Amino acid sequence: NFDVIVSADVFEHIEPKYLNETLDLISNKMQKSGWFRIACYPAKKHLPDGRNAHLIVELPEWWRARILDVMNVTIVKEEISVFDKSHKWPDIKGYNYDVVVEVK
């Protein structure tokens, strides 16, 4: 178990069918709080099977609902920032979702 869990640009890489299980596991290991940054845009890289490396591309609101539904936490702070690299890569734009949670 850990007092604090920090995850930066990881959740969007989880296989969708394992997301709830993974969030539940993190929730069970987190004793006090967590900070998560979730990329809500396509990655510029692709996996060998052709899928985008960001396997889950959803809006911050979707992630917020998923965190609250699956994890035993309260959201204490959140920030949504625009991420736009479309000047380099046409499809790389969206949001970063930063969320601070506390265990209930």
Side-chain angles (χ1 to χ4, degrees):
N1 292 333
F2 305 92
D3 285 345
V4 177
I5 293 181
V6 174
S7 172
D9 295 326
V10 174
F11 286 4
E12 64 274 10
H13 294 278
I14 298 169
E15 286 284 352
K17 67 182 180 181
Y18 298 119
L19 180 61
N20 285 355
E21 179 182 342
T22 302
L23 293 178
D24 186 52
L25 175 66
I26 291 168
S27 181
N28 289 330
K29 296 292 182 183
M30 188 169 47
Q31 297 295 300
K32 294 181 181 179
S33 62
W35 178 86
F36 313 131
R37 167 167 278 182
I38 305 169
C40 304
Y41 52 87
K44 68 178 182 174
K45 295 184 178 183
H46 289 80
L47 300 175
D49 65 7
R51 293 181 297 163
N52 191 278
H54 289 178
L55 298 173
I56 304 173
V57 178
E58 296 288 349
L59 292 173
E61 296 82 7
W62 184 91
W63 282 104
R64 181 182 208 283
R66 185 57 58 101
I67 288 167
L68 290 174
D69 287 347
V70 177
M71 302 179 89
N72 186 33
V73 298
T74 302
I75 293 176
V76 295
K77 184 178 180 186
E78 56 191 338
E79 182 178 330
I80 299 169
S81 57
V82 174
F83 184 88
D84 188 348
K85 295 292 182 183
S86 59
H87 62 283
K88 289 183 177 180
W89 306 288
D91 297 329
I92 311 302
K93 57 184 173 181
Y95 305 95
N96 278 315
Y97 179 47
D98 296 331
V99 59
V100 177
V101 299
E102 287 182 352
V103 175
K104 289 184 182 177

